[in-house]
Amino acid sequence: MSEIVYPPVIKTALGVFKALNLKVRLEGADQIPRTGGAVLVSNHVSYLDFIFAGAAAHPAGRLVRFMAKKEIFDNRIGGPLMRGMHHIPVDRDAGASSYAAALKALKGGEIVGVFAEATISRSFTVKEIKSGAVRMAVAGKVPLIPLTIWGPQRLWTKGHKRRLLQRNVPVTILVGEPMHPKRGDDYDQVTRDLHATLSDMLERAQREYPDVPRADETWWQPAYLGGSAPTPGQAEKMDLEESEARRADRGGAAS
């Protein structure tokens, strides 16, 4: 597979991290296999998460093929980059083809990146996740690797202005021990175990985070730590309202 686009993108990202003096803490990079397929499952707190989740595989010399919504591939600027990096488009109306493409990549020895929450968590806790990642790992006969990210929400997240040039922001990336689900397991239970692992790892990253938000920036801290981010219940309601508004817009456009 030709890799003309991905390596320069990584090099550029690392250069930007250095220029902005982002204080990246990566722990558990040795859990990323140097060869063979794997499903890398990350939490989702920002629009930049794929960059940092991908960076976790860099020490192992691996490139991660992320599953991302089709709309990004339709973008005039983002589309060519996503295709050039061989990421996998997810079309909600044709989910089987997305799954088949991911499975083909896994069986070809690739690492496939999945944001199992599907959308950014406004509450900065781990939302409900589906069993798709577990089923994919079982079908591909590959390990499932949990990963959590904390910090990039301060740069660009849902409902807040972009601050891409903000300097000295700590970013924590924790890679957990691989899980090895197999055919015959209770996939829903394995998914619950995965959710618990991601939640524990994220809470650890949040509690160990070196910065404390200023009085006017408590929005990037979860409510359970005294921040002003929505609670999980409030965030779920906001997501539902946003989804209903989007459906209404599509219905209006169709008529």
Side-chain angles (χ1 to χ4, degrees):
M1 186 182 294
S2 175
E3 298 294 353
I4 298 173
V5 177
Y6 215 150
V9 168
I10 291 174
K11 186 175 181 180
T12 300
L14 293 175
V16 171
F17 294 171
K18 185 175 181 179
L20 295 177
N21 195 32
L22 297 188
K23 304 168 184 176
V24 179
R25 169 196 169 199
L26 171 57
E27 182 180 311
D30 58 332
Q31 302 289 359
I32 304 290
R34 293 187 171 272
T35 60
V39 178
L40 187 68
V41 186
S42 175
N43 70 312
H44 204 3
V45 296
S46 84
Y47 292 108
L48 305 175
D49 291 340
F50 73 97
I51 297 175
F52 295 100
H58 189 247
R62 304 300 304 274
L63 299 175
V64 181
R65 314 299 177 181
F66 286 97
M67 300 186 75
K69 60 184 180 180
K70 179 179 175 291
E71 289 80 359
I72 300 176
F73 291 79
D74 294 336
N75 183 273
R76 181 172 57 87
I77 298 174
L81 285 173
M82 295 295 282
R83 286 187 290 274
M85 290 185 281
H86 307 293
H87 294 314
I88 302 168
V90 176
D91 186 344
R92 291 187 178 91
D93 297 325
S97 63
S98 304
Y99 181 87
L103 196 55
K104 181 180 178 180
L106 289 172
K107 291 182 176 180
E110 300 280 1
I111 296 179
V112 172
V114 177
F115 294 104
E117 298 166 278
T119 59
I120 290 172
S121 171
R122 300 176 193 264
S123 67
F124 304 135
T125 59
V126 181
K127 298 168 59 175
E128 179 183 355
I129 62 178
K130 305 291 187 182
S131 63
V134 173
R135 295 175 185 276
M136 196 184 304
V138 171
K141 298 179 181 179
V142 299
L144 189 69
I145 305 173
L147 179 147
T148 54
I149 302 169
W150 185 243
Q153 77 280 2
R154 298 174 62 183
L155 302 173
W156 189 14
T157 193
K158 184 178 288 189
H160 296 276
K161 292 182 179 180
R162 282 177 288 185
R163 297 179 170 187
L164 298 177
L165 298 181
Q166 189 174 182
R167 294 176 55 81
N168 306 316
V169 173
V171 173
T172 301
I173 309 167
L174 303 180
V175 185
E177 293 185 7
M179 301 171 65
H180 298 275
K182 60 185 183 300
R183 198 172 300 279
D185 285 349
D186 181 338
Y187 298 157
D188 290 336
Q189 182 58 54
V190 177
T191 301
R192 287 191 289 270
D193 293 342
L194 173 62
H195 184 279
T197 296
L198 289 171
S199 296
D200 288 347
M201 290 169 60
L202 179 58
E203 180 174 350
R204 178 187 160 208
Q206 291 168 337
R207 291 190 182 280
E208 294 178 355
Y209 194 67
D211 278 8
V212 175
R214 301 195 311 258
D216 60 341
E217 287 198 338
T218 58
W219 61 265
W220 60 257
Q221 188 82 303
Y224 84 94
L225 286 179
S228 58
T231 64
Q234 291 168 336
E236 184 178 4
K237 183 179 178 182
M238 294 167 71
D239 287 343
L240 180 60
E241 291 172 347
E242 181 183 67
S243 179
E244 290 175 344
R246 192 179 296 118
R247 278 198 297 269
D249 287 344
R250 284 200 298 266
S255 62

